[in-house]
Amino acid sequence: MARRPTGRRIGRREDFPDGTSRKFTLRCRGQSLEGFVFGFNGELFAYLNRCRHIPLPMDWLDNQFFSVDEKYVVCANHGALYEPTTGECVWGPCTGAWLKKVPLKVEEGTVRAFCPDD
Ligand code: FES
């Protein structure tokens, strides 16, 4: 019997080349959560779209999460910069805090997102 896939399907691996990002929603413990996924250095990363300074969405323009130099995830509200591979805030009012990572799994080219731990 085929195993039923779990997690929320958010696209195909080829949908997220480096420098692209896209928001998605997850239903976790009865709550709707918004996350974003992006390609960076040949890998995929996903975090909740909630800044660690004030819990607001971070994209100013829809699905735009990167600094102009494309080195950092940026919060458009007050300019905090986050390291893309770890989610650590490295500049701004939340320095030292971490974005909440959304676990991803890629199976047969399909990308699925899972509820983050509390
Ligand atoms: S809300 Fe993100 S830096 Fe202030």
Side-chain angles (χ1 to χ4, degrees), residues 7-114:
R8 168 87 197 268
R9 183 189 185 283
I10 55 174
R12 302 277 306 163
R13 177 62 184 93
E14 60 268 26
D15 296 336
F16 307 106
D18 282 4
T20 59
S21 51
R22 184 193 297 170
K23 291 188 285 190
F24 58 88
T25 55
L26 280 175
R27 192 91 189 143
C28 301
R29 295 169 282 282
Q31 239 189 330
S32 183
L33 302 175
E34 185 173 80
F36 64 104
V37 58
F38 57 91
F40 186 81
N41 284 350
E43 292 185 55
L44 280 184
F45 300 90
Y47 299 98
L48 292 184
N49 186 14
R50 188 185 298 158
C51 186
R52 291 306 306 272
H53 173 216
I54 299 170
L56 295 171
M58 302 194 302
D59 51 329
W60 189 257
L61 295 171
D62 212 20
N63 290 309
Q64 299 294 315
F65 290 94
F66 273 86
S67 57
V68 174
D69 63 7
E70 299 186 350
K71 289 183 179 172
Y72 299 98
V73 170
V74 63
C75 175
N77 296 296
H78 307 107
L81 298 178
Y82 292 91
E83 206 285 312
T85 62
T86 64
E88 182 181 7
C89 180
V90 293
W91 188 90
C94 52
T95 300
W98 302 71
L99 292 174
K100 191 72 171 173
K101 195 167 205 118
V102 174
L104 297 175
K105 196 172 195 177
V106 182
E107 279 184 337
E108 297 175 5
T110 297
V111 182
R112 293 185 186 281
F114 295 82

